[in-house]
Amino acid sequence: MQDPFVPPQRIGFVGLGNMGAPMARHLAAAGYALMVADTNTAALQRFCSAAQCESGTLAEIGVGCRLVITMLPDGKAVRQVLLGEGGIAAALAPGSVVLDMTSAEPLGTRELSQILQRSSISLVDAPVSGGVKRAVEGKLAIMAGGEPAVIDRCRPALAALGQVFCAGASGSGHAVKALNNYLSAVALAATAEAMMAGESFGIDPKVLLEILNHSTGRNTATEQKYPAFVLPRTFNSGFALGLMAKDLRIALQLAKALGTPASLLSECSELWNGAERRLGFAADNTDIVRYLEAG
């Protein structure tokens, strides 16, 4: 096994959005030299100025880095960045690693891993959970799929971002991510329905929430999203409703491909798809509450 990726080695980082930017900042703070890229030129310039790092084309990142991290909207964007014209993969040296922290389709990830392996490039899928808050804190839950030895090479970099959990073989990280967000989406929608019913009956929402959080119905929505974003009516958790809907579609696609039960998943996915159509991709995921309130 080759030496792990440790500071001050150079890392390529593609995708400086709400999640990617704070993650990249943690890597810079840990001592890594970064070469970054993003289609948002203004965001790219701001980041490079603040983090004192350099930007590069995709090909330049491939030439200059042995470890490249992608944090993009979906698997299609990852493939374009890696395999498209002027992409990263063609410029990477054998033995390099792509660490894809995007939420993407697990079966597509397995296929992508096989494509990259033909050029002796390893792929680790390592999506995250915790939202913008924990990205800023460097306390993300990281779900890694791939060869254990390759994941170990990436651990020094991943340690700067949060806690690593080895999910299994290639695609397993993306599978766990989609299934986790399914449970998160169900919890938020179910909590909204329960809170609406309780309030209609005359129960103070704050009282109801306190009781739920000391009872068996507590979940991430009652403990975190409702007190922080719903009751104050700010609806600004930083995670897009469209991304949650996308992850539900990924989970449903996976369940159908595997032939596992998915009746509740199917209903939940359709609910969020309807909310996305009505409110738009960029609405906050907590806006599902307002969608339900509107009937």
Side-chain angles (χ1 to χ4, degrees), residues 111-135:
E111 180 184 32
L112 179 59
S113 177
Q114 293 169 356
I115 293 172
L116 294 176
Q117 195 58 54
R118 295 170 193 160
S119 300
S120 298
I121 299 167
S122 298
L123 175 68
V124 172
D125 51 297
V128 300
S129 180
V132 174
K133 180 177 183 293
R134 284 170 63 182

Side-chain angles (χ1 to χ4, degrees), residues 143-221:
M143 314 155 197
E147 292 292 331
V150 180
I151 295 173
D152 285 343
R153 291 180 65 196
C154 300
R155 281 186 183 275
L158 292 172
L161 307 176
Q163 184 175 1
V164 183
F165 299 90
C166 291
S170 178
S172 298
H174 282 150
V176 173
K177 167 68 175 183
L179 296 172
N180 172 80
N181 276 14
Y182 162 45
L183 295 179
S184 179
V186 166
L188 180 54
T191 297
E193 291 182 348
M195 293 293 291
M196 289 166 59
E199 188 171 1
S200 294
F201 191 74
I203 302 172
D204 186 313
K206 292 182 179 178
V207 172
L208 177 55
L209 198 62
E210 181 181 13
I211 295 171
L212 292 175
N213 281 330
H214 286 81
S215 306
T216 56
R218 67 186 182 277
N219 58 66
T220 56

Side-chain angles (χ1 to χ4, degrees), residues 29-40:
Y32 287 99
L34 294 183
M35 181 179 284
V36 298
D38 194 283
T39 56
N40 186 327

Side-chain angles (χ1 to χ4, degrees), residues 248-259:
L248 284 165
R249 291 191 290 269
I250 291 173
L252 182 58
Q253 179 186 46
L254 179 64
K256 287 181 175 180
L258 299 174

Side-chain angles (χ1 to χ4, degrees), residues 27 47 80 90 92 105 115 126 153 170 213 243 249:
L27 291 168
F47 183 88
Q80 181 60 36
L92 283 172
E105 300 82 359
I115 293 172
R153 291 180 65 196
S170 178
N213 281 330
L243 290 175
R249 291 191 290 269

Side-chain angles (χ1 to χ4, degrees), residues 67-123:
L67 173 62
V68 175
I69 297 174
T70 52
M71 188 63 177
L72 297 166
D74 53 36
K76 181 179 180 180
V78 173
R79 286 195 175 225
Q80 181 60 36
V81 161
L82 293 176
L83 305 178
E85 183 177 354
I88 292 173
L92 283 172
S96 297
V97 176
V98 173
L99 186 58
D100 181 23
M101 307 191 80
T102 305
S103 293
E105 300 82 359
L107 297 177
T109 296
R110 286 186 174 178
E111 180 184 32
L112 179 59
S113 177
Q114 293 169 356
I115 293 172
L116 294 176
Q117 195 58 54
R118 295 170 193 160
S119 300
S120 298
I121 299 167
S122 298
L123 175 68

